[in-house]
Amino acid sequence: MTAKGDMYYAWSADEDLRKKGECGGAVSALLKHALESKMVDAVFAVKRGSDIYTAEPTLITNPADIAKTAGSLHCGTLLLSKLVEKYLDGAKDKKIGITVKGCDMMGILELAKRKAINLDNLVMIGVNCGGSVSPVMARQMIAEKFGVDPDKVHKEEIDKGQFIIEYEGGHKGISMDELEEAGYGRRSNCRRCKLKIPRQADIACGNWGVIGDKAGNATFVEVCSEKGAKLVDSAVAAKKLSVEAPNPKGVEIRGKTENAMYKLGDKWRRRTFDALGKNLWATIGKETGRCIKCYSCIENCPVCYPIADKLKQPSLMVKSGDVPPNPMFHLRRFAHISDSCINCGQCEELCPMDIPLAQFSHAIRVEADAAYLPKLGQSAYKN
Ligand code: FAD
Ligand code: SF4
Ligand code: SF4
Ligand code: SF4
């Protein structure tokens, strides 16, 4: 019987899911089985939209439709947690299976703390995450650095530190380091992110540590809760999921890769926060001077809930109609989220004036952690 903490190499027993899946289709097999066995009423996952740069959220109730969500899309900038709260009534009266990256998972936990999402009704299948690229950046990077027409690309992936594309006429990979040093690559919040293996989900899945003949054909599954253990056992018993013990060398490699990713996150934190720290308030004042007070940053932040409406109220300090608003508009919001910002990047991504908001709120969060939880804060930044 599976227990919390167990690890497997896993793959779908269904050939179609195995082919369509990113690494053997274990995630799709688990979601499909959860739906078929009525462990959940619906699955909330991500499917390819009009092109490979479009990651579309989708709610599925027919198990046959799960195949449409197989595969990883690295060019979306989605955050699923806010959508669960906004459009699925916080899973208050429906059981939902959901695929989550680290930021999706943290957003869900923050909203659950605020009683906006019912965790008891969610089965969270986590995917390890090395980062995502904004669709606009992906197109620009492929045209300028790869010298390829972005519309001719039919597959993208991030593997072994490279961004790799397959296109009409060939395939090409360039190291992420090289791309990022040249100003391309992952979103800035993803560079600083240290939520690499989402262990607060029920199951964490990824390709790190899958070696030998299983490389590329199986997913490394770490079982993180009793709920996750039950789902894995049930899918194996129903012959929907095949599992075997992971290669010990693979487990070691997975640990080393995870640590290397933390170090990379620290490198970007140091670089960004040190530059910002030299002139923090002047920089915030200058950048937020472009604000048109559209409230998108507030409405899309998973942490601003449930006081978004209050933050929008004109107060004595921020007069209604003032554009740009008094810097107090932003400082009040930073104060509110300073201990909870999950560095999901939504505020920055969705700001029409390109204000680097996530950089500010994440810097403030890391500094607050360092001040109040010295050990946690130090390791979050210095290790
Ligand atoms: P599949 O059966 O193919 O299912 C994939 C699931 O991922 C589907 O449910 C789909 O809805 C969901 N999904 C696809 N795109 C997104 C998205 N943008 N946001 C949320 N959910 C999505 N693994 C690593 O070990 N190291 C990494 O660095 C790494 N980076 C990743 C980055 C991203 C953006 C994503 C989405 C995944 C990443 N993974 C990483 C996980 C890996 O690519 C596979 O998803 C995992 O091994 C499961 O493979 P599978 O064949 O079992 O999944
Ligand atoms: Fe992945 Fe972290 Fe970026 Fe979210 S913030 S997409 S978990 S790297
Ligand atoms: Fe201002 Fe940008 Fe926030 Fe809109 S999203 S209120 S422009 S900072
Ligand atoms: Fe995400 Fe920005 Fe809110 Fe932080 S402040 S949780 S980065 S939307």
Side-chain angles (χ1 to χ4, degrees), residues 22 74-75 129-133 141-142 145-146 155-166 171-180 184-186 207-208 257 261 264:
E22 187 73 16
H74 301 92
C75 295
C129 189
S132 57
V133 181
M141 177 169 88
I142 288 168
K145 284 291 283 184
F146 288 74
K155 184 162 171 52
E156 52 69 33
E157 60 177 322
I158 300 179
D159 192 26
K160 297 191 180 63
Q162 288 201 323
F163 187 83
I164 301 164
I165 53 167
E166 283 177 22
H171 67 99
K172 204 170 186 175
I174 302 184
S175 108
M176 213 42 136
D177 268 351
E178 181 187 333
L179 291 168
E180 289 178 356
Y184 300 92
R186 296 168 301 162
N207 51 24
W208 289 334
T257 312
M261 291 304 290
L264 191 60

Side-chain angles (χ1 to χ4, degrees), residues 83-98:
L83 304 180
V84 174
E85 178 259 313
K86 222 170 169 178
Y87 300 111
L88 304 181
D89 197 25
K92 298 239 167 77
D93 55 11
K94 278 218 164 22
K95 292 200 182 291
I96 295 172
I98 180 169

Side-chain angles (χ1 to χ4, degrees), residues 327-345:
M328 202 58 207
F329 172 74
H330 296 282
L331 297 186
R332 212 164 43 164
R333 180 169 166 273
F334 292 147
H336 168 232
I337 46 105
S338 66
D339 64 346
S340 316
C341 170
I342 58 161
N343 182 40
C344 67

Side-chain angles (χ1 to χ4, degrees), residues 34 45 91 99 118 141 166 177 187 197 222 229 238 248 250 253 296 357 371:
T99 326
N118 181 1
M141 177 169 88
E166 283 177 22
D177 268 351
R187 297 185 293 155
I197 299 185
E222 184 171 340
I253 291 172
S296 169
L357 293 160

Side-chain angles (χ1 to χ4, degrees), residues 23-288:
C23 313
V27 169
S28 299
L30 285 164
L31 291 171
K32 191 171 177 189
H33 176 69
L35 203 50
E36 283 170 340
S37 63
K38 307 218 179 319
M39 191 168 173
V40 299
D41 303 307
V43 162
F44 195 43
V46 179
K47 67 173 182 172
R48 178 181 158 157
S50 52
D51 57 31
I52 58 152
Y53 310 102
T54 320
E56 255 179 38
T58 180
L59 188 71
I60 292 173
T61 49
N62 177 358
D65 289 340
I66 290 288
K68 293 180 190 157
T69 67
S72 300
L73 294 160
H74 301 92
C75 295
T77 60
L78 275 177
L79 186 75
L80 296 175
S81 45
K82 193 71 189 184
L83 304 180
V84 174
E85 178 259 313
K86 222 170 169 178
Y87 300 111
L88 304 181
D89 197 25
K92 298 239 167 77
D93 55 11
K94 278 218 164 22
K95 292 200 182 291
I96 295 172
I98 180 169
T99 326
V100 289
K101 304 178 296 300
C103 52
D104 297 317
M105 174 199 71
M106 290 305 285
I108 285 174
L109 296 182
E110 287 298 329
L111 285 159
K113 275 192 226 163
R114 291 158 177 79
K115 305 210 181 314
I117 285 183
N118 181 1
L119 269 191
D120 292 341
N121 277 346
L122 287 187
V123 178
M124 289 196 274
I125 313 238
V127 286
N128 298 355
C129 189
S132 57
V133 181
S134 106
V136 176
M137 164 58 75
R139 283 179 165 276
Q140 191 190 348
M141 177 169 88
I142 288 168
E144 293 173 4
K145 284 291 283 184
F146 288 74
V148 172
D149 176 353
D151 287 322
K152 300 255 158 68
V153 177
H154 54 83
K155 184 162 171 52
E156 52 69 33
E157 60 177 322
I158 300 179
D159 192 26
K160 297 191 180 63
Q162 288 201 323
F163 187 83
I164 301 164
I165 53 167
E166 283 177 22
Y167 54 97
E168 284 170 30
H171 67 99
K172 204 170 186 175
I174 302 184
S175 108
M176 213 42 136
D177 268 351
E178 181 187 333
L179 291 168
E180 289 178 356
E181 288 302 333
Y184 300 92
R186 296 168 301 162
R187 297 185 293 155
S188 63
N189 61 304
C190 292
R191 295 178 198 183
R192 298 190 305 270
C193 176
K194 290 170 73 177
L195 295 163
K196 296 297 147 193
I197 299 185
R199 294 192 175 88
Q200 289 99 324
D202 296 299
I203 299 175
C205 302
N207 51 24
W208 289 334
V210 184
I211 58 170
D213 61 342
K214 287 287 180 295
N217 304 313
T219 291
F220 194 115
V221 168
E222 184 171 340
V223 179
C224 306
S225 74
E226 299 306 325
K227 213 191 271 180
K230 202 173 134 201
L231 175 58
V232 168
D233 278 344
S234 167
V236 171
K239 300 199 179 339
K240 299 295 162 84
L241 186 74
S242 306
V243 295
E244 68 178 31
N247 183 322
K249 186 80 192 147
V251 177
E252 195 186 319
I253 291 172
R254 180 176 184 256
K256 284 189 180 151
T257 312
E258 187 182 5
N259 278 331
M261 291 304 290
Y262 291 151
K263 288 207 173 102
L264 191 60
D266 283 329
K267 180 189 99 172
W268 281 106
R269 286 178 185 209
R270 260 194 300 278
R271 192 184 280 197
T272 314
F273 297 163
D274 285 356
L276 190 61
K278 287 192 184 117
N279 224 347
L280 180 65
W281 300 114
T283 309
I284 291 181
K286 180 168 166 260
E287 295 282 350
T288 58

Side-chain angles (χ1 to χ4, degrees), residues 278-305:
K278 287 192 184 117
N279 224 347
L280 180 65
W281 300 114
T283 309
I284 291 181
K286 180 168 166 260
E287 295 282 350
T288 58
R290 296 194 295 280
C291 175
I292 55 170
K293 219 173 163 195
C294 69
Y295 302 122
S296 169
C297 52
I298 294 174
E299 278 159 8
N300 292 294
C301 173
V303 172
C304 277
Y305 183 95

